[in-house]
Amino acid sequence: MGESIHLAVRQLCEFLLHTGSIDNRFGGGDRAAEGSRIHRKLQKEAGEEYQAEVPLSLTVSLGGEEYCLEGRADGIFPQDGLWVVDEIKTVSVPLELIDEDWDAAHWGQGYCYGWMLARQRQLEQVGVRLTYYQADTGERKEFYRRRTLEELEQWGMDLLEQNRKWAEGRKSWRLLRDQSIHQLPFPFERYRPGQRELAVAVYRTIKLKSKLFCQAPTGTGKTISTLFPAVKAMGEGMGEQLFYLTAKTITRQAAEDAFHLLRQKGLRIRTITLTAKDKICPLEQRDCNPEVCPYADGYYDRVRPAVWELLEREDCFTRALLEEEGKARRLCPFELSLDLSLWCDCVICDYNYLFDPVVSLQRFFGEKKGEYLFLIDEAHNLPDRAREMYSAHLVKSRFLELKKALGKGGGPLRRSVRELNSQLVRVRKACGEEGSRTLPQPEEELTGSVAAFHAAAGEWLEEHREPLPLRGQVLERFFEAGFYLKILELVDESYIVLDSCHGSEVVTRLLCLDPARLLAERMACGRSTVLFSATLSPLDYYRDILGGGKEALRLSLASPFPRENLCLAVAGQISIRYKDREKSLEPVAGMLHAMTAARPGCYLAFFPSYRYMEQVREVYTARYPDDPILCQTGDMDEEAREQFLARLDGKRRLLGFCVMGGIFSEGVDLQGQRLLGAAIIGTGLPQIGPELELLRDYFQRQRGMGFDFAYRFPGMNKVQQAAGRVIRGETDRGVVLLIDSRFPQKDYQLLFPHHWQGWKNVSTAEDLSRLLEDFWKQGQEK
């Protein structure tokens, strides 16, 4: 009979039994993303005999295969001599619209758990109860059915028969996939320096079910060195599904390219790239309303045949393919990508699909831990992204605008908006002359008014379903309030409330200072996590801030490129501190000219701010009017960015003025002679502000390293990222010029990567010219 086919109850029922249309006018029917707290509340209120979160499983045979159903019932309890299974659903839809047959998938889950419970406890009958909880009003609605074991047996076997072709298809696919994995060679003739070490570390991490934090400098080949061992581990049964998570489109493309390379070597694997809903939506303005969107209307009635056909035909699901198939089949391409992802071996996507508290993939990470493998690329971006994902804010002026727009109408909604606005006025008065204040916990008066508004807005939206200009405004505030309430559930000692006032404006923020606990909880949804970047230093800092825990593994690799190919110069006599910037303009301009004059070619200069960049540019063009330059601007779109990079072709002398931490300091690959050098002006320290000062105070209390955690470590990461644009290949030669009096200090020197050792001090532009003359001469001799 072979190995059992494991089926998760929720996935099974939602995929096979869901019918009708996509309709997100209330944020979706089952608000699982925010339901955990409500589940706990209802379970606690149910009494001592109520057993919550009961794990259930059942193994049955069908057509020569053994199926193992697995899941977790929200609750079971005795009533009238029967055991009753309780299936709880948190919804946004007004309860008067929900009848007994509102969603067959919900009854399906209840029947599955009832069947499993009856078989497990040898019961002749069980009760099944659906409990709907309206998240905005706190109202409940219950439906109850009694079923015999014989009825549930018949129903359950019919469901498994519906799923039979899908289960057998998955099993045959995995046999084919695993056979190709076993025969798969490393796709290159030899490993680069560091590649084998990284691949072995990734495989070992997966085998140990652990976490790995790895700094692998540019040129290591991080993408293939992490994907290859992860795929190999999957082929040996160590991992059910692979998630390649990143912050940038360009690195998602790198993962797709790596899989293309592996397929050329014989790998059969299904991969899918998820694209944000707003980006992939075929409508000019997204509106997930079946009355407006033909791709939403009847979606669930048409999607299953489409998924089957696509799985039979394709192995690689890119954005372009999903857009094409969505239009051809009249299916929402975003929802189609999510449904296809259930059947793919690797999902390539943004961080938020795992970590975001609202948009994470509940179909994978909602109920129980799975044998998932997480590869997190460019992990140095995750701390700031995580703080953003786990923080929320409310802006007074937005609610005041809504209050005015409602006029004298709106009933309960207008009253709730007025009350919320009054609470924010009270906050403004409490901030006093200083204009800001901090609180360890949110105030109940304010949070209560937010909850009341959210409930009233939900009711108003149900009563006004027709498209109106006002409806969009109410919907935006409804989602803002809902997100605030969701983040409120996460608040603990790692949060702080920051209220700030400017004139009549009030902004209240729930700030996540330390996302470690929340990130660790999300990574615990899988078997193993590998976090890697070219700049993940110091490793202990990233391990702490990203929730690695003391048991996490660490690996720091050396640069694979010859050290003599990099000329690292430090102009440590020039102070870039804010108070010294005016007198630094001439010396900095002189250094930049010396760098570009030493050898004709393209160079980049990275500045701490647009304002300072413009000041240096004015001095530079006045002193060196014949030197060609180009400048980054704050409003560059994709086309302007591509035009900027296209000019850096290595065929001319050109100096690009850029901002550190911006679009040109990461993810830009200018190989060969396209970029000969980069100057980094300043240590990359973030600009001092209220939020960073709170961050500094928090980590000073927690670890005694407030300045490092809030400023120095993130700043030096930006420096290293910018410097990493220069040496991109084994034969590349180039210069990195660091300009700031802080670089020679011990605290900054300790953060230099190993391949930066042997740096040269340059006191004047003439010193730099002589150093570079020798460096380029040595390159010609080789």
Side-chain angles (χ1 to χ4, degrees):
M1 186 174 289
E3 188 177 344
S4 296
I5 297 173
H6 290 258
L7 300 171
V9 167
R10 178 167 181 158
Q11 282 188 6
L12 177 69
C13 293
E14 289 187 346
F15 185 70
L16 291 179
L17 302 178
H18 211 22
T19 59
S21 304
I22 299 168
D23 192 344
N24 286 351
R25 283 175 285 183
F26 301 96
D30 175 13
R31 289 176 22 174
E34 63 181 82
S36 57
R37 178 185 60 82
I38 292 171
H39 277 51
R40 292 192 299 271
K41 173 181 179 293
L42 297 182
Q43 290 160 348
K44 187 176 181 180
E45 293 174 353
E48 294 181 1
E49 293 186 300
Y50 190 98
Q51 300 175 31
E53 302 297 328
V54 180
L56 295 168
S57 63
L58 173 65
T59 301
V60 296
S61 297
L62 177 67
E65 295 288 355
E66 194 173 76
Y67 293 86
C68 181
L69 277 170
E70 300 171 316
R72 188 182 297 271
D74 292 327
I76 64 172
F77 61 93
Q79 179 178 288
D80 299 331
L82 286 183
W83 278 100
V84 179
V85 169
D86 192 20
E87 182 64 21
I88 302 171
K89 296 299 178 185
T90 305
V91 297
S92 301
V93 176
L95 293 185
E96 56 266 26
L97 296 182
I98 296 178
D99 60 18
E100 190 170 358
D101 298 315
W102 187 59
D103 193 327
H106 295 168
W107 279 118
Q109 285 180 253
Y111 288 163
C112 278
Y113 294 135
W115 181 29
M116 296 156 76
L117 180 68
R119 284 282 296 269
Q120 185 173 303
R121 301 195 180 190
Q122 298 181 332
L123 306 173
E124 293 184 3
Q125 292 187 45
V126 294
V128 178
R129 186 176 80 179
L130 293 188
T131 300
Y132 290 102
Y133 182 93
Q134 219 291 339
D136 305 314
T137 65
E139 297 174 295
R140 301 185 209 183
K141 198 170 193 176
E142 297 175 354
F143 300 102
Y144 178 83
R145 291 175 180 175
R146 179 182 293 198
R147 291 291 183 267
T148 66
L149 174 58
E150 183 179 353
E151 290 173 324
L152 292 173
E153 288 271 13
Q154 182 63 51
W155 183 91
M157 296 306 290
D158 287 346
L159 183 69
L160 290 178
E161 184 62 42
Q162 291 181 53
N163 185 64
R164 186 173 169 181
K165 78 167 186 176
W166 296 96
E168 291 176 353
R170 185 193 292 273
K171 184 175 182 179
S172 61
W173 167 257
R174 287 190 173 178
L175 286 172
L176 176 65
R177 181 201 71 183
D178 290 351
Q179 184 180 10
S180 75
I181 291 175
H182 295 153
Q183 299 170 354
L184 180 68
F186 189 69
F188 300 105
E189 290 185 8
R190 62 181 179 85
Y191 285 92
R192 290 183 189 175
Q195 270 192 320
R196 182 184 290 275
E197 188 178 355
L198 175 54
V200 169
V202 171
Y203 183 88
R204 178 170 174 263
T205 300
I206 294 170
K207 187 174 183 179
L208 294 174
K209 299 186 178 182
S210 186
K211 298 184 190 126
L212 173 67
F213 287 78
C214 177
Q215 176 168 266
T218 300
T220 305
K222 297 182 291 296
T223 305
I224 200 67
S225 302
T226 53
L227 279 176
F228 178 73
V231 168
K232 282 288 189 180
M234 283 179 61
E236 295 178 18
M238 294 184 290
E240 174 185 348
Q241 212 164 5
L242 173 63
F243 289 83
Y244 192 95
L245 300 133
T246 180
K248 297 182 183 299
T249 302
I250 191 168
T251 40
R252 290 195 278 280
Q253 182 63 53
E256 289 181 349
D257 293 344
F259 276 116
H260 177 70
L261 182 63
L262 292 173
R263 287 189 178 100
Q264 290 180 326
K265 297 296 181 179
L267 178 64
R268 292 299 305 277
I269 195 166
R270 287 175 178 156
T271 63
I272 189 164
T273 303
L274 301 184
T275 304
K277 186 183 293 187
D278 284 333
K279 291 184 178 180
I280 203 171
C281 179
L283 301 183
E284 287 188 14
Q285 184 172 356
R286 178 169 65 85
D287 189 350
C288 303
N289 175 349
E291 297 175 5
V292 175
C293 177
Y295 304 96
D297 186 29
Y299 172 87
Y300 296 111
D301 300 325
R302 300 190 305 276
V303 68
R304 284 178 287 275
V307 169
W308 181 264
E309 291 172 18
L310 288 169
L311 292 174
E312 288 284 289
R313 197 185 81 202
E314 305 285 347
D315 288 359
C316 177
F317 299 98
T318 62
R319 173 179 176 174
L321 176 66
L322 291 164
E323 288 177 329
E324 179 184 340
E325 293 293 335
K327 288 181 180 179
R329 299 171 185 269
R330 203 163 55 86
L331 291 170
C332 169
F334 177 73
E335 292 293 335
L336 178 61
S337 71
L338 296 185
D339 284 322
L340 280 165
S341 69
L342 291 170
W343 308 94
C344 289
D345 307 295
C346 179
V347 180
I348 303 167
C349 57
D350 187 87
Y351 295 152
N352 60 12
Y353 289 102
L354 172 61
F355 295 111
D356 192 283
V358 172
V359 302
S360 60
L361 297 172
Q362 293 298 312
R363 62 190 66 202
F364 294 108
F365 314 128
E367 283 198 331
K368 66 182 183 67
K369 178 177 179 176
E371 285 288 294
Y372 305 123
L373 309 180
F374 302 132
L375 301 181
I376 301 178
D377 196 1
E378 302 293 346
H380 64 275
N381 288 307
L382 189 51
D384 284 345
R385 279 288 301 275
R387 290 192 186 99
E388 179 183 343
M389 283 189 285
Y390 297 127
S391 297
H393 67 276
L394 298 173
V395 180
K396 178 182 177 299
S397 60
R398 296 175 183 173
F399 292 93
L400 182 59
E401 288 173 8
L402 177 57
K403 176 186 169 184
K404 293 177 180 177
L406 287 167
K408 295 182 179 181
L413 176 59
R414 187 175 188 278
R415 288 194 295 272
S416 70
V417 175
R418 187 171 62 238
E419 172 58 25
L420 179 53
N421 185 69
S422 297
Q423 286 294 330
L424 292 170
V425 170
R426 182 186 58 77
V427 170
R428 185 180 66 202
K429 293 177 180 177
C431 288
E433 295 182 1
E434 295 183 5
S436 66
R437 66 167 181 169
T438 59
L439 300 170
Q441 292 289 327
E443 295 178 307
E444 291 186 8
E445 299 94 328
L446 177 60
T447 57
S449 66
V450 176
F453 164 77
H454 192 247
E459 293 178 4
W460 187 94
L461 287 165
E462 169 53 27
E463 295 168 1
H464 300 78
R465 304 186 74 171
E466 67 281 4
L468 297 170
L470 182 58
R471 193 177 193 283
Q473 194 174 352
V474 174
L475 195 62
E476 287 181 6
R477 304 292 84 78
F478 172 76
F479 284 130
E480 283 178 16
F483 183 67
Y484 183 92
L485 294 172
K486 174 60 183 173
I487 296 301
L488 189 63
E489 297 178 19
L490 308 177
V491 170
D492 63 5
E493 63 278 0
S494 66
Y495 275 79
I496 198 165
V497 178
L498 173 61
D499 295 327
S500 56
C501 308
H502 303 281
S504 62
E505 183 65 286
V506 180
V507 180
T508 181
R509 297 177 174 87
L510 299 177
L511 286 180
C512 177
L513 301 174
D514 185 358
R517 172 184 64 85
L518 299 168
L519 293 174
E521 288 175 359
R522 301 309 296 162
M523 289 187 281
C525 293
R527 173 192 176 103
S528 186
T529 303
V530 177
L531 303 100
F532 55 100
S533 171
T535 57
L536 209 62
S537 176
L539 280 172
D540 285 347
Y541 160 71
Y542 283 101
R543 183 191 63 181
D544 289 351
I545 204 73
L546 296 179
K550 299 297 182 184
E551 72 282 356
L553 306 174
R554 294 170 296 169
L555 176 66
S556 183
L557 298 172
S559 172
F561 302 136
R563 173 63 184 86
E564 60 269 20
N565 286 6
L566 173 67
C567 178
L568 182 65
V570 178
Q573 85 291 350
I574 302 175
S575 173
I576 309 298
R577 295 179 186 273
Y578 191 78
K579 62 183 178 63
D580 299 322
R581 286 191 179 175
E582 191 66 34
K583 61 183 179 183
S584 72
L585 302 178
E586 293 278 350
V588 167
M591 285 287 181
L592 296 180
H593 176 74
M595 178 179 69
T596 60
R599 182 174 182 175
C602 295
Y603 299 81
L604 291 175
F606 295 96
F607 294 86
S609 68
Y610 281 102
R611 183 174 183 274
Y612 184 62
M613 178 184 75
E614 185 61 25
Q615 289 176 315
V616 173
R617 186 196 66 80
E618 289 180 1
V619 172
Y620 190 93
T621 53
R623 286 184 60 178
Y624 313 106
D626 296 331
D627 286 8
I629 67 167
L630 68 161
C631 273
Q632 176 184 350
T633 61
D635 58 351
M636 295 180 92
D637 58 17
E638 189 68 23
E639 183 180 356
R641 175 179 178 272
E642 292 301 324
Q643 290 175 354
F644 185 103
L645 292 174
R647 292 189 62 188
L648 299 171
D649 56 10
K651 298 178 181 179
R652 70 198 83 187
R653 182 181 175 188
L654 187 63
L655 174 61
F657 284 65
C658 305
V659 173
M660 206 183 321
I663 55 177
F664 298 115
S665 61
E666 288 190 41
V668 173
D669 194 12
L670 301 170
Q671 291 194 19
Q673 299 299 304
R674 288 190 64 187
L675 188 69
L676 295 185
I680 294 92
I681 299 98
T683 55
L685 302 186
Q687 187 174 354
I688 293 175
E691 295 185 21
L692 280 179
E693 286 299 284
L694 290 172
L695 197 65
R696 173 178 179 165
D697 293 343
Y698 173 83
F699 283 110
Q700 188 62 34
R701 294 192 305 270
Q702 296 292 321
R703 294 176 175 84
M705 301 176 67
F707 181 77
D708 287 328
F709 272 60
Y711 293 98
R712 197 187 335 262
F713 294 162
M716 283 300 290
N717 193 287
K718 291 181 183 178
V719 170
Q720 292 181 53
Q721 279 290 326
R725 300 313 97 207
V726 179
I727 305 293
R728 309 295 296 181
E730 294 181 15
T731 60
D732 289 1
R733 286 176 64 82
V735 55
V736 170
L737 172 62
L738 306 179
I739 304 177
D740 196 304
S741 58
R742 289 166 285 197
F743 282 123
Q745 296 174 8
K746 182 180 178 181
D747 287 340
Y748 290 90
Q749 288 285 303
L750 290 173
L751 299 177
F752 278 23
H754 181 75
H755 61 279
W756 281 15
Q757 302 307 311
W759 57 273
K760 303 295 184 183
N761 182 60
V762 288
S763 299
T764 64
E766 291 73 21
D767 289 344
L768 179 61
S769 297
R770 288 190 291 269
L771 176 66
L772 294 182
E773 183 181 359
D774 292 342
F775 173 73
W776 293 120
K777 184 177 180 181
Q778 291 170 9
Q780 291 173 349
E781 293 174 352
K782 292 185 178 181

